[in-house]
Amino acid sequence: MEVLEFVVPVENNKTLFVWNIEPSLTEAQIRLLSVFSAFGPLYLVKVNPNAPLHPPGFYALIKFYSAVQAAEAQRLTDGKTLFQSSQLKVRLSSKQTPAFMSGSSRPLSHAHCLELANHCLGFNGWTSEIITVRNTPEIGCLRMGCLLQLCFPRHLRSSRGAAVLEDTFTCTGADVVLQRRCRLHRLVREKALVQAFTPVLLILLGNGEVMVEVKQTSDQLLPDDTEGILQVISLLNEDVPDDDQLDFIES
């Protein structure tokens, strides 16, 4: 069993270095992604040219979310030719983790949250629902708050996230305000979704099944907290967009 969190992986046992990538391989990143993603979801695949004093070619940095999957990938790909004529060298990272990153838990980006959730749970394994979006328009300024809920129906688990963002601008034309409002609506929704994913734990079982649990943290938004959060967001403005407006913004 292994537990995955929706945080940026920084541990050495989740990071692989790949050497001896041939210089003629122009699609190295795509080929590496194809090979190593078969072992599990990847946070990062980065290909760089060798240093000037080394033979021509490339090396790569590959980050997994799972230490178990990274170790399996290293064991099964080291010394193999895979997509080229010469053997690849694949090693787990032995680089010392900087002190300021040790024990850190930086949340994943919105895009990475979606990738990890979809890979482990499938596109139908989770849903998100906006509970409310409230905003206050002022001259040259928009403030918007969002309260959102994540649901994992197969696991009977849910999590909530809230966010408040502000956007300022100098041009006050109606088209500019509408564009800014649509953009801010997307960004605040994404930020609330990231916060909702933060306490979620994906438990990978040995039989390939995935379970979902939600950490109980001091800043976690529980259903009983909804009224208080709504009151905070209401401080922005009592003007709540109606369903037609929200549908238009979403599109």
Side-chain angles (χ1 to χ4, degrees):
M1 184 184 74
E2 186 177 18
V3 177
L4 304 187
E5 298 186 65
F6 285 81
V7 297
V8 175
V10 297
E11 300 89 343
N12 287 342
N13 62 356
K14 297 180 181 180
T15 303
L16 298 182
F17 283 104
V18 183
W19 289 277
N20 284 0
I21 301 175
E22 296 176 354
S24 59
L25 203 61
T26 57
E27 299 179 347
Q29 185 160 346
I30 296 176
R31 293 176 182 266
L32 287 168
L33 180 62
S34 175
V35 169
F36 286 93
S37 62
F39 296 96
L42 304 178
Y43 172 74
L44 174 71
V45 175
K46 187 176 182 180
V47 179
N48 295 299
N50 290 340
L53 297 180
H54 290 74
F58 300 91
Y59 69 94
L61 174 69
I62 300 175
K63 283 184 175 287
F64 284 81
Y65 293 100
S66 163
V68 172
Q69 292 168 353
E72 182 183 19
Q74 188 276 329
R75 180 174 58 86
L76 295 179
T77 60
D78 182 41
K80 303 297 192 300
T81 55
L82 298 177
F83 46 77
Q84 59 181 29
S85 59
S86 58
Q87 295 179 342
L88 292 173
K89 291 183 180 179
V90 184
R91 299 286 188 274
L92 284 167
S93 173
S94 59
K95 186 177 181 180
Q96 184 70 30
T97 302
F100 72 91
M101 293 182 66
S102 179
S104 64
S105 56
R106 184 159 55 95
L108 292 177
S109 67
H110 175 260
H112 280 111
C113 284
L114 299 186
E115 288 176 1
L116 182 57
N118 289 337
H119 189 285
C120 294
L121 302 173
F123 292 97
N124 297 321
W126 63 279
T127 62
S128 64
E129 176 187 5
I130 294 177
I131 298 174
T132 186
V133 175
R134 302 192 179 187
N135 71 96
T136 175
E138 299 177 5
I139 297 178
C141 179
L142 286 172
R143 293 187 185 90
M144 189 173 293
C146 177
L147 178 61
L148 178 147
Q149 177 166 284
L150 275 177
C151 291
F152 305 91
R154 299 175 192 168
H155 307 275
L156 303 179
R157 295 292 184 270
S158 64
S159 175
R160 295 190 173 193
V164 176
L165 292 178
E166 178 179 310
D167 186 20
T168 57
F169 45 91
T170 56
C171 182
T172 57
D175 57 337
V176 173
V177 174
L178 179 59
Q179 290 174 4
R180 293 280 186 158
R181 184 179 177 181
C182 293
R183 176 178 177 273
L184 191 62
H185 182 275
R186 174 178 58 81
L187 293 176
V188 76
R189 185 184 65 221
E190 290 179 356
K191 186 174 181 180
L193 187 68
V194 167
Q195 189 186 69
F197 268 119
T198 299
V200 175
L201 303 175
L202 300 176
I203 304 173
L204 309 185
L205 304 179
N207 60 3
E209 295 292 324
V210 179
M211 294 179 59
V212 175
E213 288 294 342
V214 178
K215 288 187 298 183
Q216 300 297 319
T217 60
S218 58
D219 58 349
Q220 183 182 348
L221 300 179
L222 301 174
D224 293 341
D225 300 329
T226 299
E227 186 62 32
I229 296 298
L230 290 177
Q231 290 178 5
V232 172
I233 294 179
S234 294
L235 294 177
L236 294 171
N237 194 5
E238 293 299 330
D239 176 26
V240 183
D242 57 33
D243 292 339
D244 293 337
Q245 288 175 307
L246 287 178
D247 288 341
F248 176 75
I249 293 172
E250 289 280 358
S251 62

